[in-house]
Amino acid sequence: MDAARRSGSRPLLDQAMRTDRAAAECWTALLAGCGGAARRELGPQLRRLSEATSTQVGSRWWFAEGAGHRMRVAGAQENLEEAIAEGDGQEFALAFVGYDHAMASAVVCATSYPSRKVGERPA
């Protein structure tokens, strides 16, 4: 959320906050050994956050210079979804840290990318 806040994108920050809430609810459900909506909702929230990030950083960067970051985010998201499916709280915690770091790194690197001119809007 800090990277989204620093990027100045309100839509990205809003989606990051929704995803954070969904992750907290999922974490609680995993700790309680519950299934249900809390565990099912995080996957779609993660995908919406990736879409919001793509919009913020620009499709051109996301699929060209940022492709390594995009693949890292996708891999971290896959690990997180596997942990949710397995109901493994410890694996979930580690996977979420990895996802959070991958996503924040992508946002920070994209907003500091030197080929974007000052004031240029993302593609």
Side-chain angles (χ1 to χ4, degrees):
M1 287 189 303
D2 188 49
R5 188 174 294 109
R6 289 176 188 218
S7 77
S9 171
R10 187 66 195 183
L12 181 59
L13 178 58
D14 290 345
Q15 186 58 54
M17 290 179 356
R18 284 190 291 273
T19 303
D20 189 59
R21 281 192 299 274
E25 290 172 9
C26 183
W27 174 246
T28 300
L30 286 171
L31 290 177
C34 301
R39 286 176 58 180
R40 287 189 303 269
E41 181 54 27
L42 184 55
Q45 283 291 349
L46 295 171
R47 286 186 284 286
R48 286 189 282 273
L49 181 56
S50 290
E51 290 169 9
T53 301
S54 174
T55 299
Q56 171 62 27
V57 302
S59 297
R60 186 176 15 190
W61 184 87
W62 193 238
F63 288 97
E65 295 88 354
H69 287 285
R70 181 177 46 82
M71 290 187 296
R72 190 168 154 227
V73 167
Q77 183 174 328
E78 185 177 317
N79 291 341
L80 190 49
E81 289 176 346
E82 285 177 20
I84 294 167
E86 293 170 5
D88 186 330
Q90 181 177 357
E91 188 176 324
F92 173 87
L94 291 171
F96 193 81
V97 168
Y99 175 83
D100 186 53
H101 186 263
M103 186 61 75
S105 295
V107 171
V108 168
C109 287
T111 56
S112 64
Y113 190 68
S115 72
R116 186 175 290 160
K117 296 175 188 159
V118 175
E120 180 182 15
R121 295 180 50 84

